Amino acid sequence: MNLRVQLEGAGGARGIAVGRARVLYPTRFEVDREPLAPDEVDAEVARFLHALDSAREELAALRRRLRGSLTREIGDFIEAHALILDDPEFIDGVTDRIRSGLQRASAALDAQRTALAAAFDAIDDPYLRSRREDLEQVVARVFAAFRRGGGAMPRPDAGAAGTVLVCESLSPADLDWWHEHGLVAIVATQGSVYSHSAILARGLRVPMVIGCGAALDAVRDGDTLLVDADAGRVTVSPDAIDLRRLREHQRAASRQERRRAQLKSQATRTRDGATIGLHANAEQTEQIARARRVGADGIGLFRTEFLYLKPGEAPGEDEQFKAYRDAVMAMAGKPVTLRTLDLGADKPGAGALGVGPEPNPALGLRGVRWSLARRSHFMVQLRAMLRASAYGPVRILVPMVTAVEEIVQVSDLVAGARRQLQREGLAVAEQVPLGAMIEVPAAVVVASEIAHACDFLALGSNDLVQYTLAADRNNAAVASTYDPLHPAVLRLIALTVESARRARRPLTLCGELAGSADLLPLLLALGLDAFSMHPGAILEARERLLGLSRKALRARGRRLLEAASRDEVLERVRGLAEG
Ligand code: PEP
Ligand code: MG
């Protein structure tokens, strides 16, 4: 049994939770290619076999812990993995390479994995080919057992506690799946606050600690973990004092929630009487109900990618229409901004849509580029969105716009889709405003022209920061370069505000910056007055805004924009907060 130990990381999605660890080992590993001396061979084979036993026992322990519907769903993959672990071709292949090739176990395992993976790839059946993933996970599990010295059997788990996933990183689709299967928290060794997984975790209220480098080595399947994402800390085998802290935190959080709940039906006004728009971002239909519960002014960004992340064919018009219509009806008359698909080659599901693989997915065929290149798919989405507009106010938002021609083309396609639907006798609202996301620097520079070609703008700071600073939003190694408070970013935001104002088009900030209550004084100073954020952040934002004066903050915007460095920005932001 693991003793109490604390691991440090950073908060990716707030909250505290306790649960049982489920470790997902990465599929990369360090391989020792130094050849073996002949007298080391027997010990190396023994190490390999011991690691295999460990991996088998881990799977058996996992199988014992399964309850209810999980038994069937996860049970299938456990069976598949157990079969690979017992497969003579797999075991003999590795031991032969150790004995005859004098390879170390890690190198032998790696070589056998490559050989078997090639055999999987050559199979003509897409289902069987997809089972290659099982092979990768099994090999990763054996590797992890090596790293721990081949021992370390996991303890059987008697409780039915929630699952804390411990992983390198997690795709939004996997997160979604685990969320439906008892997930209470995530601990990732990599990741960034701005990744789509972290955004989704915040939306689903799943606490997430990122950048917790030691987790994969220190945590075993079945360990009890206390995940404090507010402090960016993970405690393995928490003691009574830790658990008391958890209960105190839960009590304080529910007091805070009760206090903020009183603001649900209150208008959002600053101290000097300015009305501020507070909309919700949603990645899933279930977040819409939550947006309504916290009194959001509408859905400012409905990311439609979730419909496309499931395996199989792209969703048809009716499936999409129903999802959009349900969102519109759930918001009961408040506007819902449906964003057209923004799927890069790095996302699961992209392959089915004919995207990638690409060397640089962030710079590739994503957003409006994909939509204009695959018009038949795009028309399906536009038709579904327009049909949903018959049930309440809908706005259509186009991601990754870099040039005015793109929004003009989309506008023509929307008009064409509307004519088609009307010919078919289907109802469409008279007004369906079309908007462009301003999230690449080129779009900021031509924001006036783009604004004149559409009805509203939405500022996507997540991507704007990435493209302005040439720093991947998902890459922890460049997290310090990816700086939303870089003076260049602030100036680009101010330019966009000015272009929208001159063109008399509404502008909403919908990147993650909007969800950080501490930055609201800065954002008001830059001239913004409408925000879209994950629903969990809305009440805190409203509470904060009640105490701020928009007029006084705006008067200090110019000085903020003169800051030459991050330090100067921070100093001036602190000044804003102090009044
Ligand atoms: C953004 O880029 O800021 C944004 C809101 O879009 P996404 O996070 O979905 O790329
Ligand atoms: Mg974006």
Side-chain angles (χ1 to χ4, degrees):
M1 172 166 172
N2 253 332
L3 295 175
R4 179 181 183 280
V5 44
Q6 285 204 323
L7 311 171
E8 299 295 327
R14 280 159 62 170
I16 302 193
V18 71
R20 292 280 179 178
R22 167 84 170 83
V23 184
L24 300 183
Y25 294 107
T27 48
R28 284 192 314 279
F29 17 73
E30 281 154 28
V31 173
D32 183 352
R33 303 211 181 272
E34 189 68 24
L36 284 170
D39 62 349
E40 290 176 314
V41 165
D42 285 343
E44 197 68 1
V45 170
R47 268 187 74 209
F48 167 62
L49 296 177
H50 193 33
L52 272 185
D53 282 342
S54 271
R56 282 192 196 102
E57 179 49 33
E58 280 181 25
L59 283 180
L62 188 58
R63 194 188 286 119
R64 286 194 291 275
R65 286 206 302 277
L66 297 181
R67 298 272 183 287
S69 65
L70 279 185
T71 315
R72 191 170 39 80
E73 299 190 43
I74 303 188
D76 286 350
F77 96 67
I78 294 181
E79 287 317 322
H81 288 199
L83 283 176
I84 297 175
L85 281 173
D86 287 333
D87 178 17
E89 202 182 332
F90 174 62
I91 301 172
D92 295 348
V94 177
T95 45
D96 279 357
R97 286 172 200 275
I98 299 174
R99 287 200 186 284
S100 321
L102 295 184
Q103 291 186 346
R104 290 192 182 265
S106 59
L109 189 53
D110 188 39
Q112 189 62 9
R113 178 187 69 102
T114 309
L116 290 176
F120 269 99
D121 285 346
I123 298 175
D124 208 15
D125 176 331
Y127 173 75
L128 285 178
R129 215 170 34 232
S130 74
R131 295 295 85 200
R132 176 187 163 155
E133 206 173 289
D134 290 324
L135 170 74
E136 300 279 359
Q137 289 195 3
V138 168
V139 172
R141 193 178 275 279
V142 179
F143 255 97
F146 272 144
R147 276 199 307 201
R148 296 194 305 259
M153 304 287 182
R155 287 160 299 119
D157 178 5
T163 301
V164 177
L165 272 189
V166 179
C167 51
E168 193 176 65
S169 61
L170 194 65
S171 71
D174 287 344
L175 199 165
D176 189 30
W177 189 91
W178 282 100
H179 179 246
E180 287 175 12
H181 295 91
L183 181 70
V184 294
I186 304 163
V187 178
T189 56
Q190 299 185 354
S192 124
V193 183
Y194 301 95
S195 70
H196 278 118
S197 298
I199 292 172
L200 183 57
R202 289 194 283 277
L204 297 173
R205 290 221 242 185
V206 177
M208 179 178 192
V209 168
I210 54 174
C212 189
L216 280 172
D217 286 331
V219 179
R220 317 242 169 89
D221 264 343
D223 278 346
T224 302
L225 298 185
L226 171 61
V227 180
D228 182 348
D230 295 349
R233 190 178 304 127
V234 178
T235 309
V236 185
S237 304
D239 59 21
I241 299 173
D242 295 317
L243 294 173
R244 194 161 60 231
R245 196 163 47 83
L246 168 72
R247 282 192 295 277
E248 275 161 17
H249 178 279
Q250 285 168 334
R251 275 197 292 272
S254 64
R255 274 197 303 276
Q256 191 182 57
E257 205 164 303
R258 277 199 299 278
R259 194 184 70 232
R260 289 187 181 149
Q262 291 165 359
L263 302 175
K264 274 181 194 165
S265 40
Q266 196 164 321
T268 312
R269 289 227 175 74
T270 54
R271 215 173 60 214
D272 56 329
T275 300
I276 305 293
L278 283 187
H279 304 257
N281 290 350
E283 291 83 42
Q284 302 275 336
T285 315
E286 69 182 51
Q287 286 162 350
I288 306 273
R290 198 159 156 232
R292 186 148 171 239
R293 282 202 300 278
V294 295
D297 294 317
I299 299 295
L301 172 66
F302 191 18
R303 293 182 169 99
T304 57
E305 290 81 43
F306 77 97
L307 288 165
Y308 293 79
L309 294 177
K310 300 186 194 111
E313 302 233 316
E317 182 178 315
D318 278 342
E319 182 184 345
Q320 293 196 47
F321 160 65
K322 283 180 191 143
Y324 305 150
R325 179 202 58 194
D326 290 353
V328 170
M329 292 200 303
M331 285 310 287
K334 292 184 173 172
V336 174
T337 309
L338 301 172
R339 186 177 71 178
T340 60
L341 186 65
D342 186 6
L343 204 63
D346 52 339
K347 303 275 178 349
L353 298 174
V355 186
E358 294 179 320
N360 266 320
L363 306 181
L365 194 63
R366 58 172 285 198
V368 70
R369 304 165 184 189
W370 177 85
S371 300
L372 292 175
R374 303 279 188 277
R375 293 195 182 201
S376 54
H377 278 294
F378 191 38
M379 282 302 270
V380 168
Q381 185 165 44
L382 291 178
R383 282 174 56 101
M385 289 178 168
L386 288 174
R387 280 172 62 190
S389 73
Y391 294 80
V394 162
R395 310 196 305 169
I396 297 180
L397 177 60
V398 184
M400 286 296 289
V401 173
T402 52
V404 69
E405 291 84 349
E406 289 167 336
I407 200 77
V408 170
Q409 287 180 57
V410 174
S411 181
D412 289 346
L413 291 172
V414 172
R418 172 187 286 280
R419 281 194 301 274
Q420 277 179 7
L421 292 167
Q422 282 165 343
R423 272 199 304 273
E424 292 163 30
L426 292 165
V428 180
E430 246 169 61
Q431 299 289 331
V432 182
L434 179 68
M437 285 201 72
I438 303 296
E439 54 184 344
V440 293
V444 174
V445 177
V446 293
S448 302
E449 288 82 351
I450 292 175
H452 283 294
C454 63
D455 305 301
F456 68 97
L457 298 180
L459 219 158
S461 55
N462 303 338
D463 278 316
L464 185 60
V465 174
Q466 149 162 285
Y467 295 123
T468 303
L469 302 173
D472 181 350
R473 63 195 265 189
N474 297 310
N475 185 347
V478 289
S480 59
T481 306
Y482 183 101
D483 176 13
L485 299 187
H486 190 294
V489 174
L490 302 191
R491 291 179 205 177
L492 290 174
I493 293 177
L495 279 175
T496 311
V497 170
E498 186 55 19
S499 298
R501 193 186 63 77
R502 285 177 186 234
R504 297 177 188 275
R505 297 292 188 272
L507 169 71
T508 305
L509 170 67
C510 59
E512 288 305 292
L513 260 186
S516 165
D518 290 343
L519 293 180
L520 283 168
L522 161 81
L523 299 174
L524 291 190
L526 292 177
L528 287 156
D529 57 12
F531 306 97
S532 189
M533 57 192 67
H534 59 93
I538 286 189
L539 292 176
E540 185 181 359
R542 185 169 290 149
E543 189 175 54
R544 236 2 203 284
L545 286 161
L546 295 174
L548 299 177
S549 161
R550 184 177 73 163
K551 193 156 171 255
L553 286 165
R554 281 199 174 175
R556 297 163 75 174
R558 176 164 295 283
R559 201 172 132 59
L560 197 64
L561 293 173
E562 284 164 2
S565 65
R566 179 188 167 82
D567 284 349
E568 270 183 39
V569 170
L570 283 179
E571 192 187 301
R572 290 173 196 195
V573 169
R574 264 194 301 275
L576 293 178
E578 284 153 15

